[in-house]
Amino acid sequence: MQRPSWRNVDPFLVLLAIVLVAYGLTVISSATHAEGVAYSGTLARQAVIASFGVVLMVGLSFVDYRVIGQVAPFLYVATVAILVVVLGVGTFVFGAQRWLEIGGIRLQPSEPAKLVAVIVLARLFAGRSGEAPTMGAAERVAGAVASAGSLARTNVLALGVIAPIVVLVYVQPDLGTALVVVSAYFGVAYVAGVPHMILGAIASVPLLGFPVVWSVMKPYMRNRITTFLAPDRDPLGEGYNLIQARISVGSGGWLGRGLGNGTQTQLNFLRVQHTDFIFAVIGEELGFVGGVGLIILYGLLLWRCLRVLVRSRDAFGRYLVGGITGTIAFQAFVNVGMNVGLLPVTGIPLPFISSGGSSLLTLFAALGIVQSVLVHSQARRYDSKPSVGVPARSRLRAGRFALPDVGPAAADGLPTGTLAAVPAWGPIDAFDLPGAAASPSGTPSDGGASPRMTMRERGEAELPVPPRPRGSDPRFEERGASASPVAMVPGARDERLRWRADDRADASSRRERDASGLSVRAARRRAQGLAAEERAALRLRGDRM
């Protein structure tokens, strides 16, 4: 069983997360500053939660991400059940029933529900990928039709899986978090290779059915859309905070007014300044440079996540990282756009910056899973059932390179006991045949038919050329490369070239054929056997050259 390579841990990903949290704590300290108080309770609580978040991220990086995929159905059922409980006994804050009070600690279950949606979708798409390619025109057409049908079923099933989470979050009401869950679907589906036309068609459904969507929206949601289009219509009501956010961002200039010196922030003209509108605080007190610097940090974080996606060796890992990256990017884009007046106001927090324990812990857990993909992803992964249900080592022991069965005509001319003396793992050569001493000219000393000759030279009564052994022969190593029987066979160079081509083709076909959904232990055992087999082949090729 292969051990995880901790050298693959991405320290820059951890560092970027910590820098973003430190950035957020600095801005929260300024936004919640009060005269005569060294630090606010909000700042202290956020710092403690951030410390737990770092521990959670490190802990999840030790857990194999495929184990998380195996428990995805249980996580899904538990998430849906908790969201149902929230609707029954949840705590109301600002008119929304989104929180649970447990021992004096307020939790928001809809935040971890976003991560659970990513895990479930990644497992769903990974479990339905990796069909064997077909050959021929008719088979390709049939395969394309079957693939299109399977893709349609997978997308319908994926949308059906996230629908309960979206509906339960929407009725709290929490439109922003519901949209983040939907963005998780688009992130996973895009990485899974769903055609852009299908994704565009799904995204256009709310626009095409806008009258129906408008009729089922909550009144406050409609007001936010109309306020976004005309904030001056109600400057002291619905449009107040949107106008104040624009004033805050516009008054910051290039370098800002300085931490603790923003008039809109410190005089409390800007509401909910440490949560939803914290980017407006950054724009006012740190200016254009501070805002662009934050966006650069987000870009670096997303780049490191995409780097993990590219390096992942199996479908589930790629889809998992793709969904996490998509949700983080979506939240950052919507929050910044809301603060600068490009998008309607929603309750989506700014990742790692806004105050909120559930959101911060969920983000650290997501990065811990990303690190797990990077650490535990091995050289080979198996996404569909194997063609052979036994490990590679067992196949080798069972006689993968056994001598082909030959009849009396094929064995004519060979000395007595030849077939019994030929080892099952190797080719037929002069050293394997008793009484067949070789001479430098390539002819046997007893004048009989040479067992070293190839099929072309032996004519009608000859043995087929067996496959080249995959392990090194210690007898050849003792004699040295010059004494190798291959060097004495006419046309040995052509045989070596053929062996090299066969090796490449065999390795390629084996990787495609052996793509499997085995358990982690069986998959790793198979990968170890194949790797050892290829290393032995490389050593033997070096001996024969």
Side-chain angles (χ1 to χ4, degrees):
M1 183 174 181
Q2 295 182 3
R3 294 180 179 179
S5 179
W6 296 105
R7 293 177 298 178
N8 292 332
V9 171
D10 190 351
F12 296 102
L13 189 61
V14 179
L15 180 62
L16 285 169
I18 295 176
V19 170
L20 282 170
V21 171
Y23 196 122
L25 292 175
T26 303
V27 180
I28 291 174
S29 174
S30 176
T32 59
H33 175 72
E35 292 293 337
V37 179
Y39 54 87
S40 63
T42 302
L43 176 63
R45 183 170 58 252
Q46 188 75 357
V48 172
I49 293 174
S51 301
F52 281 108
V54 174
V55 174
L56 178 62
M57 177 178 61
V58 174
L60 284 177
S61 66
F62 282 88
V63 180
D64 195 327
Y65 63 97
R66 288 159 296 187
V67 175
I68 300 176
Q70 292 173 358
V71 300
F74 304 99
L75 294 176
Y76 177 78
V77 173
T79 300
V80 173
I82 294 175
L83 291 176
V84 172
V85 171
V86 171
L87 295 179
V89 298
T91 303
F92 283 88
V93 178
F94 295 117
Q97 193 178 15
R98 307 174 186 173
W99 291 267
L100 284 177
E101 291 280 353
I102 302 177
I105 301 176
R106 184 179 297 173
L107 304 176
Q108 187 176 357
S110 59
E111 288 293 332
K114 299 183 290 190
L115 182 57
V116 172
V118 172
I119 296 172
V120 173
L121 290 172
R123 173 170 176 174
L124 177 64
F125 277 99
R128 294 175 174 264
S129 63
E131 293 186 359
T134 56
M135 302 297 291
E139 289 81 358
R140 283 197 299 269
V141 172
V145 174
S147 178
S150 176
L151 181 63
R153 290 192 299 271
T154 302
N155 279 277
V156 172
L157 182 59
L159 293 173
V161 165
I162 66 170
I165 298 179
V166 173
V167 172
L168 290 173
V169 173
Y170 176 80
V171 299
Q172 290 180 356
D174 189 356
L175 178 61
T177 304
L179 292 177
V180 175
V181 176
V182 175
S183 72
Y185 161 78
F186 283 98
V188 175
Y190 179 81
V191 178
V194 177
H196 298 172
M197 183 177 299
I198 295 180
L199 296 179
I202 295 175
S204 63
V205 169
L207 298 178
L208 297 178
F210 184 75
V212 178
V213 175
W214 183 266
S215 62
V216 299
M217 291 178 68
K218 303 288 184 179
Y220 86 94
M221 298 177 184
R222 301 177 191 170
N223 293 335
R224 286 185 175 181
I225 294 178
T226 56
T227 301
F228 165 71
L229 298 176
D232 297 330
R233 182 176 58 87
D234 188 9
L236 299 179
E238 294 291 339
Y240 175 81
N241 219 44
L242 185 58
I243 295 174
Q244 296 300 321
R246 292 179 179 179
I247 295 174
S248 300
V249 174
S251 62
W254 283 98
L255 300 177
R257 297 177 180 269
L259 289 173
N261 297 323
T263 56
Q264 304 298 117
T265 302
Q266 303 303 323
L267 298 178
N268 293 323
F269 288 107
L270 184 65
R271 300 170 183 169
V272 289
Q273 50 195 251
H274 62 289
T275 54
D276 296 348
F277 287 90
I278 195 169
F279 187 80
V281 178
I282 295 174
E284 181 184 23
E285 299 189 347
L286 299 179
F288 178 81
V289 174
V292 171
L294 177 62
I295 294 175
I296 291 176
L297 289 175
Y298 279 129
L300 293 175
L301 180 71
L302 297 177
W303 166 59
R304 301 307 291 187
C305 291
L306 293 176
R307 176 177 172 271
V308 176
L309 186 151
V310 172
R311 296 184 63 182
S312 177
R313 303 301 179 89
D314 68 336
F316 178 65
R318 290 193 299 272
Y319 302 163
L320 200 58
V321 178
I324 291 173
T325 306
T327 54
I328 294 176
F330 180 79
Q331 292 181 79
F333 174 77
V334 171
N335 186 276
V336 173
M338 172 188 73
N339 277 265
V340 299
L342 296 178
L343 293 173
V345 175
T346 58
I348 297 178
L350 191 60
F352 298 101
I353 304 296
S354 295
S355 175
S358 300
S359 174
L360 188 59
L361 289 176
T362 301
L363 290 168
F364 272 115
L367 291 188
I369 294 176
V370 172
Q371 289 281 17
S372 175
V373 173
L374 186 60
V375 170
H376 296 275
S377 182
Q378 300 296 329
R380 291 178 179 85
R381 286 291 168 251
Y382 309 94
D383 301 328
S384 63
K385 278 219 175 233
S387 57
V388 181
V390 294
R393 292 181 181 177
S394 299
R395 294 203 306 272
L396 289 174
R397 296 191 190 101
R400 178 184 174 95
F401 304 107
L403 183 69
D405 188 19
V406 295
D412 185 25
L414 290 178
T416 304
T418 296
L419 296 180
V422 176
W425 50 262
I428 300 176
D429 54 61
F431 299 107
D432 293 325
L433 303 178
S439 63
S441 61
T443 60
S445 59
D446 60 356
S450 172
R452 298 190 307 272
M453 295 183 180
T454 61
M455 293 179 62
R456 304 181 186 86
E457 296 167 344
R458 288 186 57 86
E460 297 181 356
E462 62 183 356
L463 286 172
V465 178
R468 184 170 61 90
R470 295 291 178 175
S472 60
D473 188 354
R475 296 171 299 169
F476 296 163
E477 296 176 357
E478 294 175 1
R479 293 176 174 84
S482 60
S484 173
V486 180
M488 296 183 290
V489 177
R493 177 176 176 80
D494 296 336
E495 289 296 317
R496 287 198 298 269
L497 295 177
R498 182 179 66 81
W499 283 341
R500 292 176 182 174
D502 290 345
D503 286 342
R504 297 189 185 97
D506 183 62
S508 176
S509 63
R510 185 167 59 247
R511 292 189 183 97
E512 296 176 359
R513 184 181 65 250
D514 290 346
S516 67
L518 296 175
S519 65
V520 175
R521 185 172 183 177
R524 287 177 175 172
R525 190 186 304 117
R526 180 187 292 271
Q528 287 177 341
L530 295 178
E533 181 183 339
E534 291 176 358
R535 287 194 298 270
L538 291 175
R539 287 197 299 268
L540 186 57
R541 273 206 298 271
D543 293 338
R544 290 183 169 180
M545 291 299 293

